[in-house]
Amino acid sequence: MRSRFFLGFGVLTLLFILSLQVLQQINMGVSTERFMINLGFGGILFFGSVISVFISVQTLYAEIENRTLIPLLTKPIGWTSVVLGKFLAMWAMLAVYVGVLGWILFGFVWWETGGQLGFGWTEFLYVLLAEWFFFGLLLAAGILFASYATSGLFAMMMLSIFWVLGHLQHMLAAVVRNEEPTVLEHILGAVQWFIPNFQVFHLSDLLTRGGVDILNVLMVLGVGSLFIGSYLLIARLFFSIREL
Amino acid sequence: MKRCRLLIVALCLLGSVGFASQQLLKETWQELREDRFKAKENQAETETGKELVWSLLGSFRYFVADLSFLNGYYHWQEQRHDESNLWHAWATSLDPDNLLFWQVRVRVIGRDTPVWEIEQIGWFPDVDPEIREKIFIEYAEKGLSVVEEALRYHPKEVSLWMDKGLFYEMRLKDFSKAAEAFLIAWELNKNFLPSGVMYLEMLRRMGDRAAAQEFLRNHPEFEKML
């Protein structure tokens, strides 16, 4: 939590949220609430993704390169505890990030709109939970890539590609609907089975367009948990056969 | 060998989780997709590019749309119609729910651009009326195509129906289509008098007294407002 990188990006996100008051001067024709919610969550997503990508890979790599992981493995704890412990610690950091900044955003929007919000605090909480699970997915994928990559840079690049593909996952299925798909198109189509659809975790636009359904959110969180568990399990398998 | 076995087990596990998740979220995703990307099942290929950009920009697309609109406004002030229309088109593409973007785009392309083009040829009264007419019709048709696109996202917006009617009435001289548009605008908001007035005017120009009398009989509130 005291990591300078994490604190620095947290402050950057906070400044971004506070700057919404100035940025709304260029808001054209939409409500203040919609503008601030969309842009605020965009900032939380962007900076949070950078934090997740960086800390998930660097935390493990720093420990492997500095050999500080080896004394830990001499203790009577298995790889499962190590992987799960690292993941939960990082996920807790992201929980603080999403929680603190999310509620600052809520308060800010509430103040700017004079308390006239089109959604309740419970719906806002559901959206924050979904975002938190999205960051959990990135963290778990980062640990997975770190488990077999031989350099931190490679793992971070893979995680960035994973981020892009996850946001386009819903379009990957469409590529194999061509009349005669090529081999590359078949591979891209197959990728959709291994990457979750990140779009379902970003529900902020529903706050200003009809509401957030708790059942849908529970399904999203359930799917997120399945993927997180799978990625961590595979990472654990790779770590157990990796030479440190 | 052990790594290969592990890799195969890992891929099978992930694949089954991916398949299960797609089934669980099928309905949720379909609703979200329709609402967020304005997409329908079996969407035409031309929408793929829009969905790609929207997916990557996420919530930032609304902010980028505002910046594009401002940029288009700057070019409008400088009377650079190609750049202005391009940036306004980009703004409406990124945020089609924003009515202001559509209204400005329709009026810039349908009303301002032909005047700028005529002024590039020469002093407005000195330009051959046939050439002026040809340019007005060309841009009215472009304006109409933008109005039709805008009505996909804002089918109940009175100002767009009025713009449609005015393009048909002033430039294309198709009074029956103009009358249809003004009547729809009137039906959408019966407190907006000009739409009813324009509808009656179109009927007068078409010489359809019977329809005009029928309208006034069915809408006695209109006469009271007059």
Side-chain angles (χ1 to χ4, degrees), chain B residues 188-201:
Chain B
L188 286 170
N189 183 3
K190 290 187 179 153
N191 289 323
F192 186 64
L193 202 57
S195 53
V197 169
M198 288 304 295
Y199 174 65
L200 287 170
E201 173 60 16

Side-chain angles (χ1 to χ4, degrees), chain A residues 20-131:
Chain A
L20 293 178
Q21 190 179 25
V22 174
L23 287 174
Q24 69 168 319
Q25 302 297 323
I26 63 165
N27 176 17
M28 298 283 150
V30 295
S31 65
T32 302
E33 175 189 91
R34 189 184 133 180
F35 179 82
M36 293 180 79
I37 286 289
N38 283 325
L39 204 50
F41 269 100
I44 289 174
L45 170 66
F46 175 73
F47 292 115
S49 298
V50 173
I51 292 171
S52 304
V53 166
F54 194 80
I55 65 170
S56 62
V57 172
Q58 282 305 103
T59 305
L60 273 165
Y61 261 95
E63 294 214 14
I64 291 170
E65 279 177 17
N66 297 338
R67 305 269 190 259
T68 50
L69 197 59
I70 295 172
L72 192 64
L73 295 170
T74 61
K75 303 279 186 280
I77 54 171
W79 267 111
T80 308
S81 302
V82 172
V83 168
L84 205 55
K86 290 284 173 206
F87 170 75
L88 288 173
M90 289 187 283
W91 207 19
M93 279 169 67
L94 268 299
V96 171
Y97 170 82
V98 170
V100 170
L101 292 167
W103 289 112
I104 288 174
L105 175 65
F106 180 83
F108 201 44
V109 176
W110 186 86
W111 179 59
E112 280 289 319
T113 57
Q116 306 296 322
L117 289 175
F119 54 87
W121 67 270
T122 48
E123 285 178 303
F124 194 83
L125 179 65
Y126 300 153
V127 173
L128 286 182
L129 276 173
E131 289 291 345

Side-chain angles (χ1 to χ4, degrees), chain B residues 72-128:
Chain B
Y73 183 71
Y74 163 71
H75 287 294
W76 174 82
Q77 284 191 307
E78 302 291 317
Q79 293 194 5
R80 290 188 211 120
H81 57 89
D82 285 339
E83 289 88 340
S84 166
N85 290 328
L86 185 70
W87 283 105
H88 285 141
W90 183 230
T92 53
S93 172
L94 285 173
D95 189 6
D97 287 334
N98 193 324
L99 178 63
L100 176 70
F101 293 167
W102 286 110
Q103 287 172 329
V104 168
R105 189 180 163 200
V106 164
R107 286 157 196 181
V108 167
I109 202 168
R111 299 186 196 173
D112 295 342
T113 309
V115 172
W116 297 337
E117 195 153 312
I118 290 166
E119 285 177 350
Q120 277 180 351
I121 296 171
W123 180 237
F124 193 94
D126 295 338
V127 173
D128 186 352

Side-chain angles (χ1 to χ4, degrees), chain B residues 60-74:
Chain B
F60 278 122
R61 71 179 163 97
Y62 304 105
F63 184 60
V64 175
D66 287 336
L67 293 176
S68 305
F69 180 77
L70 279 175
N71 210 7
Y73 183 71
Y74 163 71

